[in-house]
Amino acid sequence: MIRLGAGRLDRVVAVGAHCDDIAIGAGGTLLTMCLARPDLRVDALVLSGGGGEREREERAALAAFCPGADLRLTVLKLPDGRLPTHWDEAKTAVEELRERTEPDLVLAPRTEDAHQDHRVLAKLMTTAFRDHLVLGYEIVKWDGDLGRPTAYQPLSPDTAERKVRLLQEHYPSQRHRPWYDREAFLGLARIRGIECHTRYAEAFAATKLTLDLGE
Protein backbone atom coordinates (compact mmCIF):
# COMPACT_ATOMS: atom_id res chain seq x y z
CA MET A 1 0.00 0.00 0.00
CA ILE A 2 1.33 3.44 -0.94
CA ARG A 3 1.68 5.93 1.90
CA LEU A 4 1.18 9.59 1.09
CA GLY A 5 1.94 12.41 3.48
CA ALA A 6 0.30 15.82 3.65
CA GLY A 7 3.56 17.69 4.27
CA ARG A 8 4.03 19.71 7.42
CA LEU A 9 0.79 20.21 9.32
CA ASP A 10 0.50 23.47 11.24
CA ARG A 11 -3.27 23.90 11.37
CA VAL A 12 -6.05 21.35 11.52
CA VAL A 13 -9.82 21.80 11.57
CA ALA A 14 -11.99 19.16 13.24
CA VAL A 15 -15.78 19.36 13.27
CA GLY A 16 -18.62 17.30 14.66
CA ALA A 17 -22.39 17.50 14.69
CA HIS A 18 -22.44 16.22 18.28
CA CYS A 19 -20.12 16.11 21.24
CA ASP A 20 -17.99 12.92 20.97
CA ASP A 21 -18.23 12.66 17.13
CA ILE A 22 -14.72 14.01 16.60
CA ALA A 23 -13.19 11.81 19.29
CA ILE A 24 -14.93 8.66 18.05
CA GLY A 25 -14.20 9.25 14.38
CA ALA A 26 -10.73 10.77 14.52
CA GLY A 27 -9.49 10.67 18.11
CA GLY A 28 -6.57 8.39 17.30
CA THR A 29 -5.55 10.57 14.37
CA LEU A 30 -5.64 13.69 16.56
CA LEU A 31 -3.52 11.96 19.18
CA THR A 32 -1.02 10.86 16.53
CA MET A 33 -0.70 14.35 15.04
CA CYS A 34 -0.58 16.25 18.31
CA LEU A 35 2.01 13.96 19.88
CA ALA A 36 4.19 14.38 16.79
CA ARG A 37 3.66 18.16 16.58
CA PRO A 38 3.13 19.70 20.04
CA ASP A 39 2.56 23.18 18.59
CA LEU A 40 -0.25 22.12 16.25
CA ARG A 41 -3.23 24.46 16.11
CA VAL A 42 -6.58 22.68 16.20
CA ASP A 43 -9.75 24.65 15.45
CA ALA A 44 -12.69 22.50 16.51
CA LEU A 45 -16.40 23.14 16.02
CA VAL A 46 -19.29 21.12 17.44
CA LEU A 47 -22.80 22.13 16.43
CA SER A 48 -24.84 20.74 19.34
CA GLY A 49 -24.53 20.05 23.05
CA GLY A 50 -23.47 23.50 24.19
CA GLY A 51 -24.13 24.92 27.64
CA GLY A 52 -24.34 21.75 29.72
CA GLU A 53 -22.83 18.42 30.65
CA ARG A 54 -22.12 17.45 27.06
CA GLU A 55 -20.06 20.58 26.46
CA ARG A 56 -18.08 20.00 29.64
CA GLU A 57 -17.36 16.45 28.52
CA GLU A 58 -16.30 17.63 25.08
CA ARG A 59 -13.91 20.29 26.35
CA ALA A 60 -12.18 17.88 28.70
CA ALA A 61 -12.07 15.14 26.08
CA LEU A 62 -10.64 17.18 23.22
CA ALA A 63 -8.03 18.68 25.54
CA ALA A 64 -6.93 15.10 26.27
CA PHE A 65 -7.06 14.07 22.61
CA CYS A 66 -4.99 17.11 21.56
CA PRO A 67 -2.09 17.13 24.07
CA GLY A 68 0.16 20.15 23.68
CA ALA A 69 -1.94 21.64 20.89
CA ASP A 70 -3.32 25.14 20.57
CA LEU A 71 -6.92 23.97 20.81
CA ARG A 72 -9.70 26.42 20.00
CA LEU A 73 -13.07 24.79 20.54
CA THR A 74 -16.54 26.17 19.87
CA VAL A 75 -19.62 24.21 21.00
CA LEU A 76 -23.00 25.48 19.81
CA LYS A 77 -26.52 24.70 20.99
CA LEU A 78 -28.28 23.58 17.81
CA PRO A 79 -30.80 20.79 18.52
CA ASP A 80 -29.55 17.22 18.29
CA GLY A 81 -31.26 15.38 15.42
CA ARG A 82 -32.66 18.54 13.85
CA LEU A 83 -29.74 20.06 11.98
CA PRO A 84 -31.40 19.81 8.54
CA THR A 85 -34.04 22.29 9.77
CA HIS A 86 -31.31 24.56 11.19
CA TRP A 87 -29.26 24.66 8.03
CA ASP A 88 -28.79 28.44 8.09
CA GLU A 89 -27.29 28.45 11.57
CA ALA A 90 -25.05 25.50 10.74
CA LYS A 91 -23.87 27.14 7.53
CA THR A 92 -23.11 30.39 9.34
CA ALA A 93 -21.05 28.54 11.94
CA VAL A 94 -19.04 26.74 9.27
CA GLU A 95 -18.47 29.96 7.32
CA GLU A 96 -17.26 31.73 10.46
CA LEU A 97 -14.88 28.85 11.12
CA ARG A 98 -13.56 29.13 7.57
CA GLU A 99 -12.94 32.86 7.97
CA ARG A 100 -10.69 32.42 11.00
CA THR A 101 -8.42 29.62 9.83
CA GLU A 102 -6.50 28.32 6.81
CA PRO A 103 -6.04 24.65 7.69
CA ASP A 104 -3.71 22.07 6.19
CA LEU A 105 -6.21 19.32 6.97
CA VAL A 106 -9.93 19.12 7.71
CA LEU A 107 -11.51 16.26 9.68
CA ALA A 108 -15.28 16.04 9.24
CA PRO A 109 -18.12 13.52 9.00
CA ARG A 110 -18.54 11.51 5.79
CA THR A 111 -21.02 12.78 3.22
CA GLU A 112 -22.41 9.21 3.03
CA ASP A 113 -23.11 9.00 6.77
CA ALA A 114 -26.63 7.76 7.47
CA HIS A 115 -27.23 10.23 10.31
CA GLN A 116 -28.92 13.35 8.99
CA ASP A 117 -26.95 15.70 11.27
CA HIS A 118 -23.65 14.23 10.11
CA ARG A 119 -24.61 14.51 6.43
CA VAL A 120 -25.61 18.16 6.72
CA LEU A 121 -22.30 19.10 8.33
CA ALA A 122 -20.29 16.98 5.89
CA LYS A 123 -21.81 18.70 2.87
CA LEU A 124 -21.29 22.15 4.36
CA MET A 125 -17.62 21.39 5.00
CA THR A 126 -16.80 20.28 1.48
CA THR A 127 -18.42 23.46 0.18
CA ALA A 128 -16.74 25.88 2.60
CA PHE A 129 -13.32 24.21 2.42
CA ARG A 130 -13.09 23.72 -1.33
CA ASP A 131 -9.29 23.88 -1.67
CA HIS A 132 -8.39 21.78 1.35
CA LEU A 133 -7.79 18.13 2.12
CA VAL A 134 -11.06 17.05 3.74
CA LEU A 135 -11.11 13.59 5.30
CA GLY A 136 -14.48 12.18 6.30
CA TYR A 137 -14.34 10.06 9.44
CA GLU A 138 -16.65 7.16 10.21
CA ILE A 139 -18.80 6.44 13.27
CA VAL A 140 -20.09 2.94 13.90
CA LYS A 141 -23.84 2.83 14.59
CA TRP A 142 -26.94 0.69 14.17
CA ASP A 143 -27.59 2.04 10.64
CA GLY A 144 -24.90 -0.23 9.20
CA ASP A 145 -23.55 2.56 7.00
CA LEU A 146 -19.84 1.75 7.14
CA GLY A 147 -18.45 1.79 3.62
CA ARG A 148 -15.17 1.18 1.81
CA PRO A 149 -12.68 3.81 3.00
CA THR A 150 -10.15 5.40 0.69
CA ALA A 151 -7.66 6.70 3.26
CA TYR A 152 -6.18 5.25 6.44
CA GLN A 153 -4.20 6.58 9.39
CA PRO A 154 -2.35 3.74 11.12
CA LEU A 155 -2.49 3.81 14.91
CA SER A 156 0.10 2.30 17.19
CA PRO A 157 -1.33 -0.18 19.72
CA ASP A 158 -0.64 2.34 22.49
CA THR A 159 -2.53 5.06 20.62
CA ALA A 160 -5.49 2.80 19.88
CA GLU A 161 -5.72 1.76 23.53
CA ARG A 162 -5.34 5.36 24.65
CA LYS A 163 -8.17 6.44 22.37
CA VAL A 164 -10.52 3.85 23.82
CA ARG A 165 -9.50 4.73 27.37
CA LEU A 166 -10.13 8.44 26.79
CA LEU A 167 -13.52 7.76 25.21
CA GLN A 168 -14.59 5.78 28.26
CA GLU A 169 -13.14 8.29 30.69
CA HIS A 170 -14.44 11.54 29.24
CA TYR A 171 -17.94 10.71 28.02
CA PRO A 172 -19.76 9.12 30.98
CA SER A 173 -23.10 10.29 29.56
CA GLN A 174 -22.67 7.83 26.69
CA ARG A 175 -21.64 4.70 28.57
CA HIS A 176 -25.19 3.34 28.69
CA ARG A 177 -25.38 3.07 24.91
CA PRO A 178 -25.08 -0.56 23.70
CA TRP A 179 -22.54 0.33 20.98
CA TYR A 180 -20.37 2.53 23.18
CA ASP A 181 -17.77 0.07 24.41
CA ARG A 182 -14.19 -1.06 24.03
CA GLU A 183 -15.02 -3.95 21.71
CA ALA A 184 -16.79 -1.73 19.19
CA PHE A 185 -14.08 0.95 19.03
CA LEU A 186 -11.08 -1.36 19.10
CA GLY A 187 -12.77 -3.90 16.81
CA LEU A 188 -13.35 -1.36 14.06
CA ALA A 189 -9.79 -0.07 14.45
CA ARG A 190 -8.51 -3.65 14.09
CA ILE A 191 -10.52 -4.22 10.91
CA ARG A 192 -9.26 -0.97 9.39
CA GLY A 193 -5.76 -1.95 10.43
CA ILE A 194 -6.06 -5.23 8.54
CA GLU A 195 -7.12 -3.29 5.46
CA CYS A 196 -3.96 -1.17 5.49
CA HIS A 197 -1.46 -3.81 6.71
CA THR A 198 -1.06 -2.55 10.25
CA ARG A 199 -2.43 -3.51 13.66
CA TYR A 200 -4.90 -0.66 14.12
CA ALA A 201 -6.05 2.30 12.04
CA GLU A 202 -8.71 4.93 11.58
CA ALA A 203 -10.27 5.15 8.15
CA PHE A 204 -11.55 8.09 6.16
CA ALA A 205 -13.33 8.98 2.95
CA ALA A 206 -11.23 11.34 0.85
CA THR A 207 -13.75 13.47 -1.01
CA LYS A 208 -11.27 14.90 -3.50
CA LEU A 209 -7.48 14.89 -3.90
CA THR A 210 -5.24 16.97 -6.14
CA LEU A 211 -1.93 15.30 -6.95
CA ASP A 212 1.38 16.92 -7.78
CA LEU A 213 3.44 14.16 -9.41
CA GLY A 214 5.75 16.36 -11.44
CA GLU A 215 8.35 17.02 -8.74
Side-chain angles (χ1 to χ4, degrees):
M1 176 173 287
I2 298 174
R3 295 200 177 195
L4 301 176
R8 176 175 174 80
L9 296 176
D10 295 313
R11 293 190 176 196
V12 172
V13 159
V15 300
H18 316 102
C19 296
D20 77 18
D21 284 355
I22 296 171
I24 292 173
T29 297
L30 283 174
L31 278 170
T32 299
M33 292 188 298
C34 291
L35 290 172
R37 304 170 183 83
D39 58 345
L40 185 68
R41 173 171 162 175
V42 179
D43 288 276
L45 170 66
V46 180
L47 295 182
S48 65
E53 176 190 13
R54 293 288 276 145
E55 179 175 351
R56 291 190 291 273
E57 289 180 343
E58 186 74 344
R59 291 192 177 279
L62 289 190
F65 275 103
C66 301
D70 177 10
L71 174 63
R72 307 181 185 192
L73 170 62
T74 300
V75 183
L76 302 182
K77 297 181 181 180
L78 300 185
D80 186 350
R82 298 290 188 272
L83 290 189
T85 61
H86 291 264
W87 185 88
D88 284 342
E89 296 103 307
K91 181 175 175 60
T92 296
V94 169
E95 289 176 343
E96 290 175 350
L97 173 65
R98 176 67 187 92
E99 289 173 1
R100 64 178 179 263
T101 187
E102 185 65 47
D104 304 300
L105 172 65
V106 177
L107 301 171
R110 297 180 304 124
T111 55
E112 298 84 8
D113 195 297
H115 195 297
Q116 66 273 14
D117 291 353
H118 299 174
R119 286 198 310 276
V120 165
L121 180 54
K123 292 176 181 178
L124 287 172
M125 293 302 293
T126 54
T127 299
F129 292 85
R130 292 178 180 269
D131 299 319
H132 302 79
L133 175 58
V134 180
L135 297 180
Y137 56 73
E138 57 184 356
I139 296 178
V140 63
K141 58 180 99 54
W142 73 271
D143 304 84
D145 63 348
L146 298 179
R148 299 187 63 181
T150 53
Y152 297 84
Q153 171 58 52
L155 305 178
S156 70
D158 286 346
T159 299
E161 291 283 358
R162 184 172 177 178
K163 172 186 175 177
V164 173
R165 185 173 66 253
L166 291 177
L167 286 172
Q168 293 290 344
E169 176 182 345
H170 287 289
Y171 296 104
S173 67
Q174 304 304 297
R175 292 175 189 157
H176 69 283
R177 299 184 181 277
W179 54 267
Y180 197 93
D181 60 30
R182 170 187 168 83
E183 289 180 312
F185 298 133
L186 212 55
L188 180 58
R190 180 69 186 108
I191 290 171
R192 297 317 189 196
I194 291 171
E195 293 172 351
C196 67
H197 296 167
T198 189
R199 183 67 184 174
Y200 298 108
E202 285 178 338
F204 302 89
T207 305
K208 188 180 294 185
L209 293 172
T210 299
L211 302 177
D212 182 2
L213 303 178
E215 308 214 357

